[in-house]
Amino acid sequence: MKILMVSDTHGNNEALDLLKNTYPNMDLYLHLGDSESDEFSIFPFRSVKGNCDHFGDFRDYLVIPTPMGNLFAQHKPIPNSQLLRQYNVKIFAYGHTHVRKYSKESGIIVINPGAISFARDQYDYSYALVSIEKDKLDVEFHTLTELISKEK
């Protein structure tokens, strides 16, 4: 399963268009909140509700089956441990901090793709490509700057 994961675009829908055109064959386009847009404007991205999302009908979290097990997506970095147990979560994805992260904590893989807008680390315009198999998960972090320089 191939996932293009973004967060915190804060109205930069042009970046989402560039990404979906660059990666047309993903199994899932996942937005981890703060799009500041509605679900039609960011399609085909599925999104959770961020603290700056006042448009659209986004849920607080999504549970997505993957070959490795359930992926739990929400905007805020602190998951509800009861929900993680209830859904037998193997992968937790979030946004909000505007900082990339890929780690394993208490047996759960944790991913934050960073931020398309207003990064709080050195990786402006950051996103992640996630590949999930039954026994293997790979995360590649990239930036829109890399994409634009390849096009020139």
Side-chain angles (χ1 to χ4, degrees), residues 61 68 77 87 107 134:
Y61 65 87
M68 183 176 275
Y87 291 111
K134 183 176 172 140

Side-chain angles (χ1 to χ4, degrees), residues 29-108:
Y29 297 87
L30 182 60
H31 197 300
L32 297 166
D34 279 357
S35 67
E36 295 189 42
S37 297
D38 61 43
E39 59 268 36
F40 306 105
S41 300
I42 65 169
F43 182 82
F45 285 85
R46 291 181 63 192
S47 184
V48 294
K49 183 179 182 81
N51 56 295
C52 294
D53 288 326
H54 307 294
F55 312 103
D57 189 22
F58 302 120
R59 298 179 65 176
D60 289 334
Y61 65 87
L62 295 171
V63 178
I64 300 160
T66 77
M68 183 176 275
N70 286 334
L71 182 153
F72 188 94
Q74 71 178 31
H75 184 62
K76 298 272 177 122
I78 308 294
N80 178 318
S81 57
Q82 183 177 349
L83 288 175
L84 295 183
R85 283 191 303 276
Q86 175 184 337
Y87 291 111
N88 193 26
V89 171
K90 303 297 181 195
I91 307 159
F92 172 61
Y94 70 95
H96 189 63
T97 64
H98 295 231
V99 175
R100 291 178 176 182
K101 183 172 187 174
Y102 176 40
S103 65
K104 192 165 191 174
E105 299 172 18
S106 302
I108 296 174

Side-chain angles (χ1 to χ4, degrees), residues 40 91 111 131 148:
F40 306 105
I91 307 159
I111 305 169
S131 177
I148 293 166

Side-chain angles (χ1 to χ4, degrees), residues 6 17-19 22 38 40 66 70 74 77 93 98 111 114 118 122 126 129-130 143:
V6 300
D17 290 338
L18 175 61
L19 288 169
T22 302
D38 61 43
F40 306 105
T66 77
N70 286 334
Q74 71 178 31
H98 295 231
I111 305 169
F118 315 117
Q122 68 268 32
S126 182
L129 297 174
V130 181
T143 66

Side-chain angles (χ1 to χ4, degrees), residues 25 96 136:
N25 299 316
H96 189 63
K136 183 180 176 189

